[in-house]
C-alpha cells in the first residue's frame, strides 16, 4: 500500500443509514480487486472492516475503520463509518480525513433518516458527494423510483452517472458559456463534458448516482471507476486552516514539499498494539523513525511505529506523503484531534467537533469499591471514543455517562467489562433536588450532657430566613451570652448541616442565619458542644421556616421538521414543560424553545428519537431552580424517608 503520492491517492468516507451495506461494499471492492477471494459477511463476523470484537458480536459497525482499495495504480482510502446515529462522532472524524463521500442507500428501503443525515453531514463539511444505491439484487426493488425520490428530496443536482442528457443539463448549470452552448443546441466536446462534470462534482453542484449490489458484486467496478475519475485528489483540497505557534490563523496546502503536518482524526485501542492513531497527512511527508511535534501537548513524539491499516491488518509504511492516511502506534501524548507537525513550522488544525451528549445514564459498580476502576477505564475508552463524557455529580454522588444514545452507552459499559473487568450497573440519574425555606423561624438549639465525667454544654438562639446568597451567617450577640470564640463553631455546625437538608437529604440553599443569643457553661462548654447545638437549631429552624424542595429547570431547544411540531408540544405538556417560542429554521423545520424540569427530561433523547424517527435533535442546558409542586414533593420526601430507613 506504499509508493502512492498525493496524485494517486483518494480519501473517501462511506456514509449512510445503518445496514445500507457500507461494510459489505468494501468487501465487494476488496473482492473485485483481488485482495480477498471470498466476500465476507457482516452476519458471519468475517468482514475486513468490522473486525472489532464488539462489531462481530453485534453485527454492525461501531467505529470508523480504514479500508484502502488499490485499483488502477491508485489507492482509494475508504473510511467505513457506522450508520447507527449513536456513533455520529466517528462520522465527524471520518469527514475530517476525506475529500469526498459516498452516501449509500438501501434500494429496498429508499431514502432513510440516515440518508438525510449523511447528506447534511457531507454538505456541512463541503465534501463532494456520490450516491450508491445498493442491494439492487433484492426482490421487488425499484432503483429508478429510488433515484426519482433522491432527485425530489435532494434536488436535480443528483444525476445518474449514465444518463448523458441529464448530465449535460447539470454540467450546463455550472458554467455560463456551457449553458449558452447547451441552449444553443450544441454538443459539448468530450473535454468540456469531462472537465464540467469533474468541477461540478468537486463543487457539490453535481452529485452522481450509481447503482449496484455489494452482495452480488454488481456495479462495484463502476463505482471504483467513477471515484477514480471524479473524486478530487487530496492536493486539490482548499488549503487547510489552522493556527501557528503564535495563535495566528494560517493555512497549509496539501503539498509534499511543504513542512510536515498531520491531523489525528481517530484513535483505536488495539488489544495487542495498544493505542493506534490514525493520521491524515496534510503536508510534507511523515517518515518512520522521525521526530514529530505535538502542537497541543507541546511535546516531541517519535514516529517509532508507523504502518498502513486495512481493517486490522497492518503493512509497513516507511513514509507517508501529503494526502495519505497512515497509522502510528506508541505515540505517548497524542490523542484524537491533535496535530503532529514539524517543530520548526508549527501548525495546529481545529479538533474534531463532536455533538454534545443528549442522554445521561448513571453507572455504579456491581462490586463495591470499584468506582476508581470505572473512572480510569472510562478515561481509557475515551481515547477511542472522545464523543462521550463522564461526569461526577457531587450532589447526587453519581457517576454519569453522557452519550448520543443507549446503544453507545451500552457499548461503553460492555467494553468496561470486557477490557477493564468492571461490571457496572446502569441506573437512572438522580435529580439534584435542593431544599430551601420560604418563611422564617426563631429557634433555640441546646446541647447539654452533664451527668458524670466531663460535661457538654452549648446553647444558641438563631433566627433563620430566606437569603439571596447560598448561605449567610452573622451574629448579633450582646452581653457575652455566647463567648466570641465559640461563634466559628456555630457557623461551622450550620454550614455542615447545609449539605444535607431535613426534607430529603439534599443540599440546602438560600438560608440566612443570625445567631443572636444563647448561654454557656464555664467548664462544660466547648466548640463541639456549640456545633451540636447549632445543628439542633438548624433542624428545628428549617422545619419551622416553611421548607420546600427545589428542582432544576432546564432550557431546551428542539430542532424538528414541521410535521412533528404537534407531537413535540403535546409531549412537552406531559413533561410539565412550558413552550417559550418557536423559530422557523432556514432550510425547513422549527426550533422549539421550551423549559422543563430536569426530572422529566432524562430519557428525552430516546423519546425524541422515536417520536421523530430520529429526525429531531435537541440541546439542553440548566436554567434555574424552581419549587417542586407539592404533590410531587411529598412523593420525593416519602421516597427519601423509605430509603433512609432501609
Ligand atoms: N441483498 C443484499 N444484502 C446486502 C447487500 N449489501 C449488504 N447487504 C446486507 O445488509 C446487511 C447490512 O450490511 P452492512 O454492510 O453491515 O451495512 P452497513 O451499512 O455497514 O451497516 P452499519 O455498519 O450498521 O451502518 C447485511 O446483512 C448485509 O449482508 C446487497 O447488496 N444485497
Ligand atoms: Mg458497517
Amino acid at each position: 500500500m506504499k509508493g502512492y503520492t498525493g496524485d494517486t491517492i483518494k480519501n473517501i468516507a462511506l456514509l449512510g443509514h445503518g445496514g445500507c451495506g457500507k461494510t459489505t461494499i468494501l468487501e465487494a471492492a476488496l473482492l473485485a480487486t483481488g485482495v480477498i477471494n471470498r466476500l465476507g459477511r457482516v452476519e458471519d463476523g468475517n468482514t475486513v472492516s468490522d473486525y472489532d470484537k464488539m462489531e462481530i458480536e453485534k453485527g454492525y459497525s461501531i467505529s470508523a475503520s480504514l479500508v484502502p482499495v488499490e485499483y488502477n495504480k491508485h489507492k482509494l482510502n475508504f473510511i467505513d463509518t457506522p450508520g447507527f446515529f449513536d456513533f455520529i462522532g466517528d462520522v465527524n472524524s471520518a469527514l475530517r480525513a476525506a475529500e469526498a463521500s459516498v452516501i449509500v442507500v438501501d434500494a429496498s428501503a429508499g431514502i432513510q433518516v440516515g440518508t438525510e443525515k449523511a447528506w447534511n453531514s457531507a454538505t456541512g463539511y463541503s465534501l463532494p458527494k456520490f450516491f450508491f444505491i445498493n442491494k439492487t439484487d433484492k426482490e421487488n426493488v425499484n432503483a429508478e423510483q429510488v433515484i426519482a425520490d433522491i432527485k425530489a428530496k435532494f434536488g436535480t443536482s443528483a444525476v445518474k452517472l449514465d444518463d448523458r442528457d441529464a448530465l449535460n443539463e447539470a454540467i450546463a448549470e455550472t458554467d455560463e458559456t456551457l449553458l449558452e452552448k447547451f441552449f444553443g443546441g450544441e454538443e459539448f466536446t468530450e473535454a468540456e463534458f469531462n472537465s464540467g462534470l469533474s468541477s461540478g462534482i468537486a463543487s457539490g453542484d453535481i452529485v452522481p448516482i450509481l447503482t449496484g449490489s455489494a452482495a452480488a458484486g454488481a456495479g462495484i467496478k463502476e463505482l471504483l471507476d467513477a471515484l477514480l475519475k471524479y473524486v478530487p485528489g487530496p492536493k486539490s483540497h482548499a488549503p487547510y486552516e489552522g493556527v501557528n505557534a503564535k495563535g495566528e490563523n494560517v493555512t497549509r496546502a496539501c503539498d509534499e514539499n511543504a513542512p510536515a503536518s498531520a491531523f489525528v482524526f481517530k484513535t483505536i485501542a488495539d488489544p495487542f498494539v495498544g493505542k493506534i492513531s490514525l493520521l491524515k497527512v496534510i503536508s510534507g511527508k511523515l517518515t518512520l523513525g522521525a521526530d514529530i511535534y505535538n502542537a497541543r501537548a507541546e511535546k516531541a513524539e517519535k514516529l517509532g511505529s508507523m504502518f498502513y491499516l486495512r481493517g486490522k491488518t497492518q503493512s509497513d509504511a516507511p513514509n507517508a506523503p501529503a494526502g495519505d492516511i497512515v497509522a502510528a502506534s506508541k505515540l505517548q501524548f497524542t490523542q484524537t484531534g491533535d496535530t503532529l507537525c514539524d517543530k520548526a513550522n508549527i501548525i495546529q488544525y481545529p479538533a474534531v467537533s463532536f455533538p454534545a451528549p443528549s442522554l445521561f445514564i448513571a453507572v455504579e459498580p456491581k462490586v463495591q469499591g470499584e468506582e476508581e476502576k470505572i473512572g480510569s477505564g472510562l478515561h481509557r475508552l475515551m481515547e477511542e471514543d472522545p464523543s462521550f463524557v463522564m461526569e461526577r455529580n457531587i450532589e447526587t454522588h453519581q457517576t454519569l455517562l453522557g452519550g448520543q444514545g443507549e446503544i453507545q452507552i451500552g457499548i461503553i459499559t460492555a467494553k468496561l467489562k470486557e477490557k477493564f473487568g468492571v461490571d457496572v450497573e446502569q441506573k437512572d440519574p438522580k435529580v439534584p433536588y435542593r431544599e430551601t425555606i420560604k418563611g422564617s423561624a426563631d429557634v433555640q438549639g441546646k446541647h447539654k450532657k452533664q451527668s458524670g465525667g466531663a460535661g457538654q454544654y452549648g446553647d444558641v438562639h438563631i433566627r433563620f430566613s430566606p437569603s439571596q446568597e447560598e448561605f449567610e451567617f452573622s451574629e448579633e450577640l450582646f452581653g457575652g451570652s455566647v463567648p466570641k470564640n465559640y461563634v466559628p463553631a456555630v457557623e461551622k455546625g450550620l454550614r455542615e448541616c447545609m449539605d444535607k437538608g431535613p426534607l430529603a437529604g439534599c443540599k440546602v440553599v438560600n438560608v440566612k442565619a443570625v445567631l443572636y443569643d444563647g448561654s454557656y457553661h464555664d467548664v462544660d462548654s466547648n466548640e463541639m458542644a456549640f456545633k451540636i447545638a447549632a445543628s439542633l437549631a438548624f433542624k428545628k429552624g428549617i422545619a419551622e421556616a416553611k421548607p420546600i424542595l427545589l428542582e432544576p429547570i432546564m432550557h431546551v431547544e428542539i430542532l424538528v421538521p414541521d410535521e412533528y411540531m404537534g407531537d413535540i408540544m403535546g409531549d412537552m405538556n406531559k413533561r410539565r414543560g412550558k413552550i417559550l417560542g418557536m423559530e422557523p429554521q432556514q432550510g425547513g423545520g422549527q426550533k422549539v424553545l421550551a423549559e422543563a424540569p430536569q426530572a422529566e427530561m432524562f430519557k428525552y433523547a430516546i423519546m425524541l428519537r422515536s417520536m421523530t424517527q430520529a429526525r429531531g435533535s435537541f440541546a439542553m442546558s440548566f436554567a434555574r431552580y424552581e419549587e417542586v409542586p407539592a404533590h410531587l414533593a411529598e412523593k420525593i420526601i416519602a421516597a427519601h424517608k423509605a430509603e433512609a430507613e432501609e
Side-chain angles (χ1 to χ4, degrees):
M1 279 187 280
K2 52 195 176 193
Y4 297 94
T5 70
D7 297 312
T8 49
I9 294 168
K10 314 259 183 189
N11 301 303
I12 302 156
L14 279 191
L15 312 175
H17 196 87
C20 61
K22 299 174 288 294
T23 300
T24 311
I25 288 170
L26 292 178
E27 282 297 299
L30 293 174
L31 183 65
T33 53
V35 175
I36 53 175
N37 50 27
R38 212 178 124 232
L39 190 81
R41 277 164 30 104
V42 172
E43 39 279 79
D44 296 339
N46 59 356
T47 64
V48 172
S49 179
D50 282 0
Y51 61 85
D52 177 78
K53 188 165 177 254
M54 205 71 79
E55 291 178 326
I56 293 169
E57 205 175 294
K58 302 274 179 191
Y60 51 77
S61 307
I62 288 167
S63 179
S65 52
L66 191 63
V67 181
V69 173
E70 289 167 290
Y71 183 62
N72 274 353
K73 304 198 173 72
H74 280 70
K75 178 167 74 166
L76 303 170
N77 283 323
F78 284 105
I79 309 169
D80 182 18
T81 66
F84 263 111
F85 304 133
D86 288 35
F87 308 118
I88 180 77
D90 260 29
V91 172
N92 290 4
S93 289
L95 292 174
R96 282 294 298 276
E99 286 97 39
S101 61
V102 175
I103 302 172
V104 180
V105 182
D106 178 340
S108 62
I111 297 172
Q112 292 173 285
V113 178
T115 321
E116 293 170 34
K117 290 192 187 236
W119 175 276
N120 293 337
S121 296
T123 307
Y125 281 78
S126 306
L127 287 188
K129 300 177 278 272
F130 293 72
F131 276 111
F132 185 75
I133 301 177
N134 187 36
K135 305 199 191 182
T136 51
D137 62 292
K138 283 178 89 171
E139 269 177 49
N140 301 323
V141 156
N142 184 348
E144 290 308 318
Q145 184 57 49
V146 179
I147 292 173
D149 292 345
I150 286 176
K151 282 177 188 287
K153 177 98 199 169
F154 302 110
T156 46
S157 61
V159 189
K160 211 174 156 191
L161 203 53
D162 55 11
D163 185 345
R164 188 82 186 198
D165 289 342
L167 286 172
N168 280 334
E169 197 176 329
I171 290 166
E173 293 288 339
T174 65
D175 185 285
E176 289 280 326
T177 33
L178 293 181
L179 191 66
E180 269 175 39
K181 220 176 162 179
F182 179 74
F183 279 122
E186 262 184 88
E187 290 262 316
F188 295 146
T189 65
E190 200 57 26
E192 281 171 338
F193 179 84
N194 283 331
S195 80
L197 185 52
S198 294
S199 61
I201 291 172
S203 64
D205 290 324
I206 299 177
V207 182
I209 306 176
L210 294 102
T211 57
S213 157
I220 298 300
K221 283 254 177 171
E222 289 78 358
L223 175 65
L224 296 179
D225 282 328
L227 296 174
L228 258 197
K229 199 161 169 193
Y230 298 118
V231 166
K235 287 161 86 175
S236 51
H237 191 282
Y240 290 82
E241 292 172 11
V243 291
N244 64 12
K246 288 187 206 144
E248 299 158 343
N249 293 332
V250 287
T251 60
R252 184 75 63 81
C254 180
D255 173 3
E256 206 171 321
N257 298 314
S261 72
F263 177 68
V264 184
F265 66 95
K266 165 91 192 146
T267 305
I268 300 168
D270 185 272
F272 305 106
V273 185
K275 190 172 80 177
I276 298 178
S277 310
L278 293 187
L279 315 175
K280 165 76 181 278
V281 188
I282 305 284
S283 60
K285 193 188 210 174
L286 299 186
T287 309
L288 180 67
D291 288 329
I292 194 94
Y293 187 70
N294 183 318
R296 177 199 52 84
E298 300 183 346
K299 299 269 192 202
E301 292 270 27
K302 198 174 196 65
L303 291 168
S305 165
M306 200 166 76
F307 46 89
Y308 287 116
L309 269 182
R310 178 181 279 141
K312 65 177 174 201
T313 313
Q314 303 174 7
S315 63
D316 56 322
N319 54 58
D324 206 355
I325 293 175
V326 72
S329 65
K330 306 197 172 63
L331 295 176
Q332 280 192 60
F333 311 102
T334 299
Q335 60 194 42
T336 300
D338 285 357
T339 301
L340 299 175
C341 61
D342 177 7
K343 197 176 175 186
N345 291 279
I346 290 177
I347 185 162
Q348 222 178 320
Y349 301 109
V352 186
S353 62
F354 296 113
S358 55
L359 180 69
F360 283 90
I361 285 177
V363 287
E364 274 174 25
K366 281 194 183 147
V367 179
Q368 255 199 350
E370 290 200 328
E371 283 83 1
E372 231 164 83
K373 265 171 103 178
I374 293 188
S376 63
L378 287 176
H379 245 92
R380 293 283 311 282
L381 291 174
M382 232 172 250
E383 290 184 343
E384 222 179 354
D385 179 4
S387 76
F388 78 86
V389 301
M390 171 179 64
E391 281 176 16
R392 179 87 194 148
N393 188 310
I394 49 165
E395 286 181 39
T396 62
H397 307 288
Q398 283 185 314
T399 298
L400 297 174
L401 260 183
Q404 293 304 312
E406 292 168 298
I407 295 177
Q408 184 190 18
I409 289 172
I411 297 281
I412 292 164
T413 54
K415 282 190 177 173
L416 261 184
K417 180 166 183 197
E418 188 200 306
K419 295 192 173 184
F420 303 99
V422 205
D423 223 348
V424 299
E425 214 170 328
Q426 295 190 14
K427 290 267 173 82
D428 284 341
K430 288 184 192 156
V431 182
Y433 291 110
R434 288 183 176 174
E435 301 178 21
T436 192
I437 50 173
K438 274 167 111 175
S440 42
D442 183 341
V443 294
Q444 180 186 23
K446 188 167 183 177
H447 177 58
K448 184 175 166 191
K449 226 174 97 189
Q450 289 175 308
S451 52
Q456 296 271 345
Y457 187 94
D459 173 25
V460 290
H461 288 250
I462 300 176
R463 283 195 302 266
F464 291 96
S465 60
S467 164
Q468 291 297 327
E469 285 165 47
E470 194 164 308
F471 179 62
E472 254 183 288
F473 175 78
S474 59
E475 55 99 346
E476 293 171 6
L477 294 165
F478 59 93
S481 54
V482 175
K484 296 276 178 196
N485 56 323
Y486 293 133
V487 173
V490 173
E491 179 174 355
K492 195 159 177 245
L494 293 175
R495 278 191 189 278
E496 280 175 15
C497 290
M498 293 288 289
D499 288 341
K500 233 176 170 185
L503 292 182
C506 314
K507 183 179 161 121
V508 184
V509 292
N510 306 124
V511 171
K512 180 177 171 181
V514 181
L515 169 64
Y516 70 94
D517 201 0
S519 62
Y520 72 103
H521 185 276
D522 274 337
V523 181
D524 294 342
S525 277
N526 56 41
E527 287 184 1
M528 182 50 84
F530 271 97
K531 234 178 107 176
I532 295 171
S535 72
L536 293 172
F538 184 87
K539 278 202 188 83
K540 221 152 90 185
I542 298 296
E544 286 180 19
K546 300 203 182 86
I548 53 164
L549 271 187
L550 300 173
E551 64 179 340
I553 304 293
M554 308 303 279
H555 179 81
V556 196
E557 297 192 352
I558 312 153
L559 283 172
V560 280
D562 294 325
E563 64 258 43
Y564 302 110
M565 286 293 289
D567 291 347
I568 294 298
M569 316 252 263
D571 174 74
M572 260 301 153
N573 271 332
K574 279 189 239 147
R575 294 175 192 274
R576 299 192 279 131
K578 273 198 273 301
I579 305 287
L580 303 178
M582 267 173 284
E583 293 170 3
Q585 295 299 290
Q586 248 183 5
Q590 298 275 342
K591 184 194 263 182
V592 181
L593 306 174
E595 277 182 357
Q598 188 186 39
E600 309 286 339
M601 291 300 288
F602 282 125
K603 294 274 166 76
Y604 193 63
I606 299 168
M607 268 303 291
L608 183 66
R609 198 178 269 190
S610 74
M611 265 190 307
T612 64
Q613 279 78 50
R615 285 188 174 85
S617 63
F618 76 107
M620 191 159 80
S621 57
F622 170 75
R624 64 180 171 279
Y625 270 89
E626 258 181 25
E627 183 172 353
V628 179
H631 66 287
L632 292 175
E634 272 169 31
K635 279 190 200 158
I636 296 160
I637 293 165
H640 171 74
K641 286 228 168 76
E643 200 177 305
E645 273 161 22
E646 252 183 40

